[in-house]
Amino acid sequence: GSIEVSERGKGRHMADVRRTEMKIEDKRETSAWVPAERILAEVIPHMPTKWTRGIRKLVLLDKDYHPHRDAAGRYCLIKGTRRADIELFFDYYAEFPDGLSNDYHYQRYRLICTLCHELYHHFVNGQRIMKKPCHKMEEKRASFWSDKASRYVMSKLYTKAEFQEHRDRINGILLGK
């Protein structure tokens, strides 16, 4: 799963994830300090191909453009198809607790969780491999599946001891220990 990065005017660039034919389009300005493309380049090859099948591109944005919403990501089905884009928002990374906003492992974990949450919506709405529940139940199931899928991906990136070390350190910061 190699990623090829090329410049696309105005300092924006796009990475091509060959293994899934999925593009990563980076449109961020104020949150470009989060190494999202690097994280995605490391993470996507460890996801089963069926998870990302039908995703046209991941769009990296500073913030949610819908007023009065505070989302970390959004699933965007392409009308009349089973393909979709996933938008990922990064402005809230600056609001992580002290010691975590610049922590690569925490950024990686949060990005994996958000991506997996949106991929669940793709299973239901794009791939239609699951019966579509009501919105509230779909959100609940997406969160549950995201947690489980994130742990699977993390197990591909870290040994059990490394994962435990990062988790303990992060929990220590979150719990003020």
Side-chain angles (χ1 to χ4, degrees):
S2 65
I3 291 194
E4 182 180 292
V5 178
S6 59
E7 292 302 312
R8 299 276 188 208
K10 294 189 180 179
R12 297 179 180 160
H13 50 280
M14 185 176 283
D16 180 12
V17 183
R18 299 267 179 227
R19 161 180 154 336
T20 61
E21 299 179 21
M22 179 175 46
K23 304 281 185 199
I24 300 173
E25 186 177 350
D26 195 351
K27 295 183 173 187
R28 298 173 300 149
E29 293 175 10
T30 60
S31 63
W33 56 272
V34 178
E37 284 191 76
R38 176 180 159 206
I39 292 169
L40 291 167
E42 294 168 350
V43 167
I44 292 170
H46 294 287
M47 293 180 161
T49 309
K50 67 181 179 180
W51 288 10
T52 57
R53 188 176 298 127
I55 300 296
R56 184 179 66 169
K57 66 182 171 181
L58 301 176
V59 182
L60 313 181
L61 299 164
D62 287 319
K63 61 183 179 176
D64 190 348
Y65 49 86
H66 284 284
H68 312 296
R69 292 200 184 157
D70 195 19
R74 178 167 293 113
Y75 174 76
C76 304
L77 185 62
I78 299 168
K79 193 172 183 172
T81 73
R82 289 186 175 205
R83 294 183 52 88
D85 294 341
I86 292 177
E87 298 170 339
L88 301 167
F89 309 114
F90 292 88
D91 61 337
Y92 77 99
Y93 279 55
E95 298 169 13
F96 287 165
D98 287 342
L100 292 180
S101 61
N102 289 314
D103 185 286
Y104 183 76
H105 304 287
Y106 190 66
Q107 291 172 344
R108 182 191 250 184
Y109 174 72
R110 296 299 304 208
L111 182 51
I112 292 169
C113 288
T114 301
L115 179 57
C116 288
H117 181 98
E118 300 309 323
L119 287 172
Y120 178 84
H121 293 301
H122 183 55
F123 297 156
V124 172
N125 299 294
Q127 294 181 357
R128 299 182 192 135
I129 58 176
M130 297 176 191
K131 186 177 178 183
K132 183 168 176 60
C134 69
H135 177 73
K136 190 174 182 178
M137 182 56 75
E138 183 177 338
E139 283 301 315
K140 190 174 186 176
R141 289 179 183 170
S143 293
F144 177 80
W145 188 84
S146 169
D147 184 53
K148 185 176 170 183
S150 298
R151 282 182 283 159
Y152 168 81
V153 173
M154 296 295 275
S155 75
K156 302 295 183 188
L157 299 168
Y158 298 103
T159 66
K160 194 172 189 174
E162 289 171 330
F163 179 74
Q164 185 68 43
E165 178 186 329
H166 292 305
R167 191 178 77 181
D168 290 347
R169 183 180 50 75
I170 289 167
N171 283 339
I173 293 170
L174 292 172
L175 299 173
K177 294 181 180 176

